[in-house]
Amino acid sequence: MGTATAGALFVASLILALALVHRPLGDHMYRVYTTTRHLAAERLIYRLLGVNADAEQRWSAYARGVLAFSVVSILFLYGLQRLQDKLFLSLGMDPVPDHVAWNTAVSFVTNTNWQAYSGESTMGHLTQMAGLAVQNFVSAAVGMAVAMALVRGFARNRTDNLGNFWVDLVRGTVRILLPIAFVGALVLVAGGLVQNFAAPQEIATLTGGAQSVTGGPVASQEVIKELGTNGGGFYNVNSAHPFENATSWTNWFEIFLILVLPFSLPRTFGRMVGQKRQGNAVLAVMAVLALASVTLTNVFELTGNATVPQAVGAAMEGKEVRFGVANSATFGAATTLTSTGAVDSFHDSYTPLGGMMVMFNMMLGEVAPGGVGAGLYGMLVLAVITVFVAGLMVGRTPEYLGKRIGAREIKLASLYFLVTPILVLTGTALAMGNADGLAGMLNTGPHGFSEVLYAFTSASNNNGSAFGGLTVNTPWYDTALGLCMALGRFLPIIFVLALAGSLARQAPVPESAGTLPTHRPQFVGMVVGVTLILIALTFLPALALGPLAEGLS
């Protein structure tokens, strides 16, 4: 069997597995976020937090809850790193430098899990488990909570209430992330990953980037890293290390974990708005973009259009032999289409066009399927922009799911879309224009520019992967990238919640002969087209200076 055929079967098996769990998992999440019943463990947590679990919140109160929880989490995680030498289970590790502690705290709280350090030589057990691994869960749960608030904005009428942030946060963690992570960790341990206090462990891959320490829970952290689309890892080489990703089938399982929640949430959305076909339409947009990306990334890596790959017959630099080119390319596409950022190969060693694809995936806003929760609310914002564009073409007020998209709604959607491009392009320009930014570049020319562009694209979109040739463990990069991670996470969340509040207050608009059907293939194609055009107009000049120039040279 040829490499391309094996790679195609690998992708086909993933699609089949995701299709099998899409409905039951989506329905389970629908029940989690709509039931009025609280579990005993949840009621205990609410009492400890002093939360009235039966009280609902307006969008502004919901946003204050998100921001307050995140600020406290950043301060706690920063302090934990700075004081780790004075705490138990420190393994004799020194305090984390202030700029690294800032960057790491913001990174894990924003579900980015960017790592400017080597986990195995920097963090003690307590910091890994009580700090980073906890954020792997709760940062993913925050994204899911915000997505549910936006969905309620579409589903509800004539109300200011969007649910309760604290209830959504606790339920997402207790009823969704923890159970799947527990089962997934057992599977990975069976596959050869380590889970004890004598060797590193990796739970982080599932939930979005938790790390472990030497002699720590690698298997459980790897699951959390992938499931929560976080991406951080205990080892510097991340999921390329056999303790984090032992075999080809654990590689398949970790990709499955990366994609399973984001691809199931459209089903939850369809159930909550009472129109399952609307959820199917959102899923179709995600699937079209994702399949195109996976295909192109594999093609560019398998054809190896650079000098060395053509000479040796494959683009194997930076890839593990046990995974091969095709499966590594699929992992790379999956991790950048979501907000995971975990890697089983070095993206810096990809062919120029292959490296462009993993960068372009993040530039899409990570909506295909995107991060846990973040992908869904990002796609719904793009749907709002699409119906506005369609309304302009036919000369009528745009509507989506029975809600008018007026001036306030489109302004909020536009602001949401503009945040990350501004951060990416401004950050890249500042780095290329000062000595501290240039000093971190391993390469010159187009590839060196691509390293910097990739770093700010990853940070601003809360992904966490990197072109490894760029040295970012410096005060300048730690500060700049930390700011991009924070602003790229919380500004869009504020705009999304404000949009949800505006939609929830509206009275429903009856469908008419002129209403744009948003569940048909035509609308799916329109959303795909609008997404690609907006991203191309925004980032094509930067891509032309980097990977495109390198690929054509």
Side-chain angles (χ1 to χ4, degrees):
M1 182 184 299
T3 301
T5 302
L9 291 175
F10 185 87
V11 173
S13 64
L14 280 170
I15 294 174
L16 177 61
L18 291 170
L20 290 175
V21 302
H22 166 76
R23 181 169 180 169
L25 182 55
D27 289 345
H28 169 66
M29 290 189 286
Y30 163 75
R31 291 188 293 269
V32 166
Y33 288 111
T34 56
T35 182
T36 58
R37 177 175 170 267
H38 306 298
L39 301 180
E42 295 169 348
R43 289 195 295 270
L44 175 60
I45 296 173
Y46 300 144
R47 284 197 295 271
L48 293 175
L49 293 174
V51 170
N52 180 1
D54 296 317
E56 297 221 346
Q57 298 171 318
R58 302 178 62 184
W59 80 264
S60 54
Y62 203 102
R64 287 195 298 271
V66 173
L67 296 177
F69 177 75
S70 300
V71 169
V72 171
S73 296
I74 290 173
L75 293 175
F76 173 79
L77 188 50
Y78 178 86
L80 194 62
Q81 295 174 83
R82 296 289 288 155
L83 298 173
Q84 75 166 350
D85 63 320
K86 298 175 177 60
L87 303 174
F88 64 98
L89 295 178
S90 68
L91 302 181
M93 300 288 185
D94 294 329
V96 179
D98 54 0
H99 58 91
V100 178
W102 145 261
N103 184 277
T104 304
V106 173
S107 174
F108 278 78
V109 172
T110 59
N111 199 234
T112 308
N113 302 107
W114 173 276
Q115 293 175 262
Y117 60 90
S118 297
E120 64 267 39
S121 61
T122 305
M123 303 292 182
H125 282 319
L126 184 66
T127 305
Q128 293 276 5
M129 295 185 298
L132 305 186
V134 168
Q135 287 303 319
N136 282 342
F137 284 100
V138 296
S139 64
V142 167
M144 297 168 71
V146 173
M148 293 304 104
L150 179 58
V151 173
R152 293 186 189 113
F154 284 109
R156 296 180 177 184
N157 304 303
R158 301 185 183 93
T159 181
D160 288 326
N161 296 327
L162 295 176
N164 187 308
F165 165 69
W166 304 103
V167 172
D168 292 338
L169 172 70
V170 171
R171 287 184 177 182
T173 304
V174 172
R175 302 193 195 187
I176 300 172
L177 295 173
L178 276 169
I180 300 177
F182 179 79
V183 174
L186 294 179
V187 173
L188 289 181
V189 169
L193 274 69
V194 179
Q195 178 69 25
N196 58 29
F197 278 113
Q201 308 168 1
E202 298 175 324
I203 297 179
T205 303
L206 271 181
T207 55
Q211 301 175 332
S212 172
V213 282
T214 303
V218 173
S220 54
Q221 283 189 328
E222 192 66 22
V223 170
I224 290 304
K225 179 177 72 174
E226 310 300 2
L227 181 61
T229 61
N230 295 5
F234 173 77
Y235 293 102
N236 193 39
V237 294
N238 208 271
S239 293
H241 197 290
F243 282 0
E244 291 197 23
N245 194 357
T247 65
S248 181
W249 78 260
T250 62
N251 193 55
W252 181 96
F253 185 64
E254 290 183 11
I255 298 173
F256 171 78
L257 289 173
I258 290 171
L259 299 174
V260 65
L261 285 176
F263 268 127
S264 298
L265 279 169
R267 171 76 180 185
T268 307
F269 161 69
R271 290 290 307 274
M272 290 181 69
V273 299
Q275 300 184 54
K276 296 176 186 177
R277 58 188 184 179
Q278 297 289 347
N280 293 336
V282 170
L283 175 65
V285 177
M286 292 177 172
V288 168
L289 291 170
L291 188 58
S293 171
V294 170
T295 301
L296 288 174
T297 305
N298 271 273
V299 168
F300 291 143
E301 290 303 295
L302 288 170
T303 54
N305 62 338
T307 303
V308 174
Q310 286 180 345
V312 301
M316 277 301 297
E317 178 188 326
K319 298 182 178 67
E320 283 292 315
V321 175
R322 68 183 186 276
F323 302 143
V325 175
N327 294 356
S328 297
T330 299
F331 194 108
T335 196
T336 50
L337 283 165
T338 62
S339 65
T340 306
V343 295
D344 72 349
S345 57
F346 280 0
H347 295 179
D348 197 27
S349 297
Y350 278 25
T351 62
L353 297 183
M356 180 190 70
M357 282 307 305
V358 293
M359 200 183 309
F360 187 79
N361 290 341
M362 295 183 289
M363 291 174 175
L364 284 173
E366 295 178 337
V367 294
V372 175
L376 177 60
Y377 64 68
M379 183 57 72
L380 293 178
V381 169
L382 287 170
V384 167
I385 295 175
T386 301
V387 296
F388 178 77
V389 172
L392 292 179
M393 291 191 293
V394 299
R396 64 173 282 128
T397 302
E399 304 163 10
Y400 185 53
L401 299 177
K403 300 297 177 71
R404 293 188 185 277
I405 307 302
R408 175 177 172 81
E409 288 76 22
I410 195 60
K411 287 176 184 176
L412 291 169
S414 300
L415 288 170
Y416 173 95
F417 176 80
L418 290 172
V419 168
T420 48
I422 291 173
L423 293 173
V424 170
L425 298 177
T426 302
T428 302
L430 291 174
M432 298 301 295
N434 75 83
D436 290 331
L438 294 173
M441 293 168 53
L442 175 65
N443 298 279
T444 59
H447 193 77
F449 176 80
S450 295
E451 290 174 350
V452 176
L453 178 63
Y454 193 108
F456 282 95
T457 301
S458 177
S460 302
N461 286 281
N462 302 133
N463 182 266
S465 63
F467 268 15
L470 183 69
T471 300
V472 294
N473 193 8
T474 64
W476 192 90
Y477 272 112
D478 280 335
T479 302
L481 294 173
L483 289 172
C484 286
M485 286 184 277
L487 295 174
R489 172 74 162 181
F490 299 119
L491 286 180
I493 282 178
I494 291 172
F495 296 139
V496 164
L497 292 174
L499 175 61
S502 179
L503 294 169
R505 285 193 296 269
Q506 293 186 27
V509 179
E511 286 191 15
S512 66
T515 300
L516 174 68
T518 55
H519 61 279
R520 295 179 181 173
Q522 296 94 322
F523 184 72
V524 171
M526 286 184 64
V527 178
V528 171
V530 167
T531 302
L532 294 176
I533 291 171
L534 288 175
I535 299 305
L537 291 174
T538 305
F539 290 110
L540 185 58
L543 291 172
L545 293 173
L548 282 174
E550 184 182 3
L552 295 174
S553 62

